[in-house]
Amino acid sequence: MNVVLRRSAGLLERLLAPLNTIGVLVRQGVVRPMRPDKLLRIALAWRRWGITPPLGFAVGAIRHPDRPAIIDERGALSYAEVSQRTTRLAHSLRARLAPGTRLGVLCRNHHGPIEAMVAAGKLGVDVVLLNTGLPTEQVAEVVRAQQVGVLLVDGEFTHHLDALPEDLDVVLAWTDGTTRHSTVEHLVATGSTRVLPRPGRRSRLVVLTSGTTGTPKGARRPEPPGLAPVATILSRVPLRAGERMLVGAPLFHTWGLAAFQLASVLGATMVLRRKFDPEQALGAVHRHRCTSMFAVPVMLQRILDLPERDYDHGALRIVASSGSALPADLAERFRERFGPVLHNLYGSTEASWVSIATPEDLRAAPGTAGRPPRGTTVRLLDEDGRPVRRGRTGRIFAGNDMLFEGYTHGGSKEFRDGLMATGDLGRFDAAGRLQVVGREDDMIVSGGENVYPKETEDAVAALPEVAEAAAIGVDDAEFGQRLAAFVVLREGAELDAEGLRDRLRDRLSAFALPREVVFLDSLPRNATGKVVPGDLLARRDAG
């Protein structure tokens, strides 16, 4: 009987899913009445492009052609302008891309990478988004491995070019001076305005994994199955059509890319700055009346480190954070200053989203990863693949409509019953909220006890003298492994290693206390804000 009821409930949910999707899109203003001629033009655009970035900007050019699509340091571009410019750019790129090659993008946040992704979508060409923080050797390795034929690059990264293949076609996306290379503006100015033929295949976006412990891998992003994935996010993060969206997260990162994709569906205005600066970010929120902001946790930390000034952020309804773990103390302090606006999305390059914490979730359990949204399944399994009891720690497995299609080199992740391993450990609290304990490979065994560095990291970061902290396992002759805490103190604060441990004895079990404490001026982070463990150890050894 229970099996029959479960199957009936599953069938009912599948039948109601399209209605739920439409309901969310109507509520957030994405779907609304319009003139029949506009509906026909949108239907033709959908037939040509499918659910891809070109469709979003084509729809924007039809529905609100004069609305700014992008605002960056060089001004504003309307939806009509982006639609026209990307057609011109696509024509120019088609003449330069050899069959079977990809378009590489090594850019900061500005209109260049946005237009590149849209133009590539019009051609059916795959785009490889390169991390701006990669060293030259890894840039060269990625360009070769991903068969990049044309590389769009900002002028500040041209120092990589000497190590790249001689036949690589280079186009500058942003330059402040003269150059011998072609530029995006030149390709736009000289490209044809003719209607492009329907591409023979859908463009794929290749996102690189964060690469904190080795060479990043390329992960193929799937084509969305309609607008259901957008509705899933909007059901927990209530963005509205026409948002003014400050995108602080890098566009080459999954979270910045998600902001771009959501913005194209919402007809939002993306406010972009090439480099994140906390004061400039608040200034942009004030000046452009931004209603939402996409950021990674370290950006929120840097905003809170600023002295309180008279910035008007009253229009800011939503601050969406993802990309790395959100410390509980940071969530509480952000709410105190900005109000109940913070949303925390837990996901990965491979899994897209897994769970989402609303402001109400974060008030009840600061730092939580929240709950799986509709259409998402999350299970916690032990090493033998059996579900663990609530409150116990297990391996996180997740399933949704946007699991990645595999790594470009042919590998994949572990799957069990259609669910993918995220590589993290977690537990559900009594209310069903997910708490991410840490990475599976971060857990250490110290003196026979399982120790999760994130618990120690959060406890250290919560001390008022501490600006930020990280904890990792290191070898220990007596205990096998021990925790080392890396600590950055607030300006003017004083705290030594023994004093830190004394303050934590009532908060942590004995085996979770850091046996080693290293004080640093700053934590080494990659371009997406994640702490790089190898660099921590290098600084420790150098000190």
Side-chain angles (χ1 to χ4, degrees), residues 303-492:
I303 287 173
L304 290 179
D305 287 342
L306 291 174
E308 292 199 44
R309 292 182 56 185
D310 190 22
Y311 285 111
D312 179 7
H313 52 77
L316 193 61
R317 301 169 29 253
I318 292 172
V319 175
S321 174
S322 188
S324 60
L326 177 68
D329 178 65
L330 176 59
E332 290 185 292
R333 290 189 293 116
F334 198 87
R335 184 182 68 247
E336 290 171 1
R337 185 178 296 190
F338 289 90
V341 299
L342 185 59
H343 296 68
N344 182 31
L345 185 144
Y346 163 56
S348 68
T349 300
E350 297 87 353
S352 296
W353 67 86
V354 175
S355 60
I356 303 174
T358 64
E360 293 74 21
D361 291 324
L362 292 171
R363 180 185 292 275
T368 181
R371 297 176 171 87
R374 182 184 296 276
T376 301
T377 301
V378 177
R379 293 187 187 137
L380 304 183
L381 306 179
D382 63 18
E383 290 297 328
D384 296 321
R386 296 171 301 199
V388 301
R389 295 197 304 272
R390 180 166 291 187
R392 295 292 185 89
T393 297
R395 304 174 65 207
I396 302 175
F397 283 76
N400 58 45
D401 290 334
M402 291 294 289
L403 296 181
F404 85 137
E405 298 176 331
Y407 297 113
T408 51
H409 72 285
S412 188
K413 300 278 280 187
E414 178 186 352
F415 279 80
R416 287 181 183 263
D417 297 326
L419 303 181
M420 187 187 75
T422 67
D424 291 320
L425 300 169
R427 57 176 175 265
F428 286 115
D429 66 16
R433 293 179 292 256
L434 179 64
Q435 183 71 41
V436 179
V437 174
R439 297 289 299 170
E440 288 186 57
D441 49 12
D442 284 347
M443 188 195 81
I444 68 170
V445 180
S446 183
E449 299 283 356
N450 291 344
V451 180
Y452 305 101
K454 187 175 182 299
E455 178 186 9
T456 301
E457 192 172 287
D458 288 348
V460 175
L463 296 175
E465 295 91 347
V466 175
E468 54 181 346
I472 61 175
V474 297
D475 291 336
D476 184 274
E478 181 181 358
F479 295 95
Q481 290 178 296
R482 67 177 184 274
L483 277 184
F486 296 81
V487 181
V488 178
L489 295 178
R490 298 188 184 280
E491 187 175 353

